[in-house]
Amino acid sequence: MQTFLGPDFLLDTAAARHLYHDVAVGLPIVDYHNHLIPEQIANDKKWDTIGEVWLAGDHYKWRAMRWAGIPEEKCSGAATFREKFDAFASVVPKCFGNPLYHWTHLELQRYFGIDELLSPETADMIWEKANGMLAEDSHSARGLLRQFKVEFVGTTDAPCDDLAFHKQMAEDASLSDMVVAPSFRPDAAYKIDLPGFDGFIADLAKVVGYSVDSYAPLMKALIERLDHFVAHGCKATDHGIDVLRYAKPVDEASLDAIIAKRLSGEALSELEIAQFQTNMFVDLSKAYYERDLVMQLHIGAVRNCNHRLYKSLGPDVGGDSINDRPIAIELNGLMGEMDRDGHLPKTVLYHLNPSFNEVIVSTAGNFQDGEIAGKVQAGSGWWFNDQLDGMERQMTQLSQMGLFSHFIGMLTDSRSFLSFPRHEYFRRLVCQMVGRWVENGHVPNDTEMLDKLVRDVCYQNAANWFLPQK
């Protein structure tokens, strides 16, 4: 019987133990999609308490706490961080089977050297020890990233962001060991059906200095902002697609009429929304291709389902769920339009519903063109699926229907500077899977070949995309 989170956690074969301990464990991290706050890296933030660094904005923890009957005041509300920490400590022993149980204790072990299990009985000791270490330079924002050898951080930024903190970091010689790049996320521009569209149009017009109330100037403004991002080191774009739509592209006059109708307060039809979004994706994807940017499509969330929670706290607070709308026809139609003239950029497809893994992988296979190995990726298990079962299912389908060897691997998709043990979690699982293939005779026990496979999936493939000099 193995020790909980011991050295060989998940490594149940000799091959897995070799692959992890001799290959994967020391690899740097390319975290190409996350929601870390650039200001905190630029100013090398320090936190006063583990309660703050752990519980401020972490909706994974808030969901578990609510499920256990913790009042909102001690999740996202006005309670002190010590009160929130104590509440979380009371919930963790109830989290068996939930990845939070592993993540929480991996974070305590890796960042703070604490092997004790978090509970009400150990809360005082863990609070004091962790808080003492947070005062040290090793546990500042940059210190935490360096502990896990993070070489690339891809933040998520709105088109109108001035990127001042990215500029500050690019000019900071003390940050030369780490690339922190903005990622262009224009959700508000193409979600013409949502209430925020009007405000985005107004904000964008202020930033670029001219009206953007028709299609050509809107696209001109978005490309200007995209070039602003590229000038600040942007390597990737990101798109949250809650409802995936597709329609045959239409001419500019039709698009102008759709925008005018929307800005006048009239409701758009589903066809008009689909026409606008398809045209915009086609034009944006061509711009991404021309600038050698990676396009990420995050599909399939049902957002802000809890109306009371959304009204009191806003979005991204743990009130979202998995969608089950069909996507195969729309996704392949949209990808086909973006690829029609050979201008499809490097693309990562994610779906929040694991039942669509096969659709995502088979679609990715449709648009490989020999230009770049693994040009269209079936992205890693996302959000509700970045746990052992979800990640294994995604990688199993990728290996069976595509080429696992060209997979660009894991990302945190997190707002927390303590989330990087999730890469260890992923890497141990990769080594477990490959080790079992060896044990079962599914692949040859060729050390050189398997070492390269694990190194590529855990680090090198992503480094080739986002850090070409590597």
Side-chain angles (χ1 to χ4, degrees):
M1 183 173 64
Q2 288 195 24
T3 305
F4 174 65
L5 296 184
D8 293 334
F9 173 59
L10 299 183
L11 310 176
D12 54 5
T13 64
R17 291 188 286 274
H18 158 72
L19 289 168
Y20 183 73
H21 293 304
D22 298 334
V23 180
V25 71
L27 294 173
I29 286 174
V30 175
D31 199 65
Y32 52 90
H33 174 68
N34 60 64
H35 297 274
L36 298 183
I37 300 173
E39 180 181 4
Q40 295 180 347
I41 307 174
N43 295 333
D44 203 14
K45 179 178 173 62
K46 287 186 175 180
W47 294 266
D48 293 329
T49 73
I50 189 173
E52 180 184 4
V53 71
W54 243 0
L55 294 163
D58 192 334
H59 57 75
Y60 283 87
K61 294 184 178 71
W62 293 350
R63 282 175 69 97
M65 293 167 74
R66 292 174 189 135
W67 203 309
I70 301 298
E72 194 63 37
E73 180 184 12
K74 292 184 179 180
C75 299
S76 66
T80 67
F81 281 118
R82 178 60 205 256
E83 291 170 327
K84 293 176 181 179
F85 174 82
D86 285 343
F88 183 57
S90 75
V91 171
V92 168
K94 304 173 183 178
C95 289
F96 288 145
N98 188 303
L100 274 175
Y101 196 78
H102 288 155
W103 295 344
T104 295
H105 292 106
L106 281 172
E107 290 166 14
L108 288 175
Q109 287 186 12
R110 300 299 181 260
Y111 289 113
F112 302 103
I114 296 173
D115 292 323
E116 287 80 4
L117 301 179
L118 181 61
S119 70
E121 291 72 33
T122 61
D124 286 345
M125 179 276 294
I126 291 173
W127 176 265
E128 294 299 331
K129 183 172 181 179
N131 291 352
M133 296 180 74
L134 284 170
E136 300 171 5
D137 291 344
S138 60
H139 287 66
S140 66
R142 298 183 189 182
L144 293 171
L145 295 172
R146 288 184 173 119
Q147 285 192 47
F148 269 76
K149 298 171 67 174
V150 179
E151 288 187 342
F152 182 87
V153 175
T155 62
T156 304
D157 309 270
C160 293
D161 196 312
D162 65 8
L163 304 181
F165 293 110
H166 286 91
K167 181 176 186 295
Q168 178 182 328
M169 286 184 278
E171 296 171 350
D172 186 345
S174 68
L175 203 56
S176 60
D177 59 332
M178 187 186 311
V179 175
V180 183
S183 298
F184 185 73
R185 182 154 181 166
D187 289 20
Y190 60 80
K191 292 184 177 180
I192 193 170
D193 53 316
L194 297 187
F197 182 76
D198 307 69
F200 173 78
I201 291 295
D203 291 342
L204 183 62
K206 290 178 184 177
V207 170
V208 298
Y210 52 83
S211 174
V212 294
D213 57 0
S214 58
Y215 189 75
L218 172 57
M219 286 307 306
K220 177 176 181 288
L222 288 172
I223 300 305
E224 284 182 16
R225 298 309 299 164
L226 181 64
D227 285 333
H228 175 69
F229 273 61
V230 171
H232 287 78
C234 176
K235 301 292 184 185
T237 70
D238 185 44
H239 309 79
I241 305 175
D242 307 332
V243 178
L244 183 66
R245 299 179 175 92
Y246 165 71
K248 289 290 184 182
V250 295
D251 60 23
E252 189 174 319
S254 299
L255 295 168
D256 288 345
I258 291 170
I259 294 172
K261 181 178 178 181
R262 170 64 181 80
L263 293 178
S264 72
E266 293 184 63
L268 298 179
S269 69
E270 275 293 309
L271 177 60
E272 289 169 325
I273 297 168
Q275 290 169 336
F276 176 82
Q277 292 183 342
T278 299
N279 276 75
M280 180 163 281
F281 269 115
V282 169
D283 290 339
L284 285 174
S285 66
K286 181 178 180 180
Y288 302 157
Y289 176 87
E290 292 170 346
R291 291 156 180 79
D292 193 27
L293 300 175
V294 176
M295 178 175 69
Q296 299 177 87
L297 305 182
H298 282 90
I299 306 165
V302 182
R303 298 183 186 272
N304 308 316
C305 305
N306 185 319
H307 301 303
R308 286 193 294 123
L309 202 61
Y310 179 69
K311 183 177 180 180
S312 61
L313 298 176
D316 304 320
V317 295
D320 309 315
S321 189
I322 292 172
N323 204 333
D324 62 354
R325 291 174 62 112
I327 65 161
I329 293 174
E330 290 80 4
L331 180 58
N332 279 279
L334 183 61
M335 294 286 288
E337 290 297 343
M338 292 189 288
D339 184 64
R340 186 178 295 279
D341 296 322
H343 292 144
L344 183 70
K346 289 177 286 189
T347 301
V348 189
L349 304 174
Y350 311 83
H351 202 289
L352 196 54
N353 190 327
S355 69
F356 288 103
N357 284 343
E358 291 90 340
V359 173
I360 291 293
V361 177
S362 63
T363 301
N366 291 341
F367 298 97
Q368 310 292 349
D369 59 7
E371 181 181 274
I372 298 167
K375 177 180 176 179
V376 181
Q377 292 276 320
S380 62
W382 168 44
W383 199 342
F384 294 109
N385 301 305
D386 58 359
Q387 26 75 8
L388 296 176
D389 179 66
M391 292 189 292
E392 183 173 12
R393 282 196 288 176
Q394 182 270 335
M395 289 189 285
T396 297
Q397 296 309 318
L398 173 57
S399 65
Q400 292 178 346
M401 302 171 67
L403 288 184
F404 179 62
S405 56
H406 288 291
F407 182 35
I408 60 172
M410 182 60 171
L411 48 92
T412 62
D413 191 28
S414 175
R415 292 165 173 78
S416 172
F417 282 83
L418 294 182
S419 65
F420 288 88
R422 296 182 196 179
H423 280 269
E424 175 185 339
Y425 204 52
F426 168 81
R427 290 170 175 182
R428 286 178 178 272
L429 177 61
V430 169
C431 294
Q432 180 194 76
M433 290 179 62
V434 176
R436 288 180 179 176
W437 292 347
V438 173
E439 189 80 6
N440 294 331
H442 292 175
V443 300
N445 190 11
D446 183 319
T447 299
E448 182 177 353
M449 180 175 66
L450 297 178
D451 286 3
K452 183 179 187 305
L453 173 66
V454 167
R455 187 179 299 110
D456 286 349
V457 169
C458 293
Y459 169 69
Q460 193 61 55
N461 291 340
N464 291 344
W465 273 34
F466 297 96
L467 294 169
Q469 72 275 16
K470 292 290 182 179

